[in-house]
Amino acid sequence: MSHFLYDAMVARLGAARADENPGPFPEGGLVRRIHGDFTPMMCGGISALLLQMLHPLALAGVWDHSNFRHDMVGRLRRTSDFIATTSFADFAQAEESIARVRRVHAKVRGHAADGRAYAADAPDLLTWVHVAEMSRFMAAHLVYRNPSLGAAEQDRYFFETACIAEALGARQVPDSREAVAAYLEAKRGELVFDERTRDVVRVLLSAPPRHLILGPAGALFMRAGIDLLPEWGARMLSLDMPRVQRRLVRAGIKSAMPMISRAVRSGAYRRALVRFQRRD
């Protein structure tokens, strides 16, 4: 069995801390609280995908090596499965998931539209994908669950989740709120909105609601994902939302959260969480 995740945790936290729990993150800890909250995670996941696709090398990997045009929702679900496993499973299951993703990444190679070579397991590209994802999960948590979450706890979230990216092969992972904000700002000059990006956005936003969790709520999730983008990201994607529309989207999500929680109790993501929690 591989030890990518365990080794990353030891390097980051020390062996004693890594050995405290049967899995990467403690029961009742901040990471599990955030990652077990379905509605914000769904909104944040959509936002992360939109943000990630502005990086031309990340986009090239999706464009050349996935069937996103026919299975965009499946891509979101696979990401959800990975997050659930690495957040709630024991080390053996989490290591297996990490190793599986590393094997897939090792095959994803090619050249972007601008001629540059890309590799999905390139450390800098892994860092981009991770930061885009974790930053949007945090943004969703702050909007929909705990707007008063303190800076120290936000820093702890980024510090602890960095071990997942490091286990996948990322390096120099920003691991605090300020570091994440500075990283995203520094990356803006590398981001591009072109015809390929427009096509991915179109496929994502036009995915038939019946194929999304909770059916008609799918369109609302999509708008919430747009709302969670950094303002500069929404402008690049030509997805600016008026302030009044942002308020309506947030009110709609918040009012639907109790119903959504009940509806997903038997869903795949919730079943995964329950299964992993029973192993603790």
Side-chain angles (χ1 to χ4, degrees):
M1 183 184 73
S2 65
H3 298 281
F4 298 118
L5 182 54
Y6 180 79
D7 290 346
M9 288 193 66
V10 169
R12 179 161 284 273
L13 302 171
R17 171 65 177 80
D19 289 335
E20 285 178 2
N21 297 284
F25 303 108
E27 183 177 3
L30 181 63
V31 173
R32 286 194 174 193
R33 291 202 309 273
I34 292 177
H35 290 181
D37 199 355
F38 176 84
T39 302
M41 286 293 287
M42 184 68 176
C43 298
I46 292 168
S47 189
L49 184 56
L50 289 167
L51 184 59
Q52 287 165 351
M53 293 303 98
L54 284 170
H55 194 298
L57 301 187
L59 174 62
V62 171
W63 189 273
D64 295 340
H65 296 272
S66 77
N67 62 341
F68 72 92
R69 293 176 185 81
H70 308 291
D71 192 27
M72 182 64 80
V73 176
R75 179 178 176 83
L76 288 169
R77 286 175 176 161
R78 287 188 291 275
T79 299
S80 294
D81 287 343
F82 178 78
I83 296 295
T85 303
T86 53
S87 301
F88 291 88
D90 58 30
F91 269 116
Q93 293 169 306
E95 294 284 12
E96 181 181 349
S97 184
I98 292 283
R100 182 165 56 250
V101 171
R102 288 177 68 115
R103 288 193 296 270
V104 172
H105 282 173
K107 301 175 184 177
V108 178
R109 277 154 170 64
H111 289 81
D114 60 9
R116 283 185 294 164
Y118 69 81
D121 55 5
D124 57 341
L125 196 54
L126 290 166
T127 299
W128 164 253
V129 170
H130 171 82
V131 173
E133 201 165 65
M134 297 302 122
S135 68
R136 296 313 92 200
F137 291 159
M138 177 55 71
H141 182 76
L142 292 172
V143 168
Y144 291 113
R145 186 59 66 186
N146 186 5
S148 62
L149 186 71
E153 287 189 287
Q154 292 182 49
D155 286 348
R156 181 157 55 88
Y157 173 78
F158 290 122
F159 180 82
E160 291 188 359
T161 55
C163 70
I164 302 297
E166 290 163 347
L168 288 170
R171 296 294 179 266
Q172 298 181 315
V173 181
D175 57 7
S176 70
R177 183 180 63 162
E178 287 189 1
V180 165
Y183 174 86
L184 290 173
E185 183 65 26
K187 279 290 182 179
R188 288 178 60 177
E190 300 179 29
L191 306 183
V192 175
F193 181 66
D194 57 14
E195 287 302 317
R196 283 186 169 190
T197 321
R198 184 177 287 108
D199 195 29
V200 173
V201 172
R202 178 190 59 77
V203 171
L204 176 61
L205 299 185
S206 64
R210 66 179 179 276
H211 290 164
L212 293 167
I213 296 170
L214 303 180
L220 184 59
F221 274 121
M222 293 299 177
R223 302 308 295 175
I226 294 169
D227 172 48
L228 291 169
L229 285 166
E231 290 187 7
W232 52 263
R235 286 195 301 270
M236 284 191 70
L237 291 162
S238 300
L239 293 174
D240 284 319
M241 291 176 63
R243 193 172 301 275
V244 64
Q245 188 176 4
R246 291 178 183 274
R247 288 198 294 265
L248 290 172
V249 167
R250 294 184 183 193
I253 290 288
K254 288 176 182 178
S255 65
M257 283 176 72
M259 176 197 68
I260 294 170
S261 295
R262 290 192 296 271
V264 300
R265 282 175 183 167
S266 60
Y269 187 70
R270 181 58 56 186
R271 289 198 303 271
L273 300 191
V274 171
R275 182 172 70 253
F276 294 141
Q277 287 168 336
R278 284 174 178 169
R279 290 176 176 267
D280 291 346

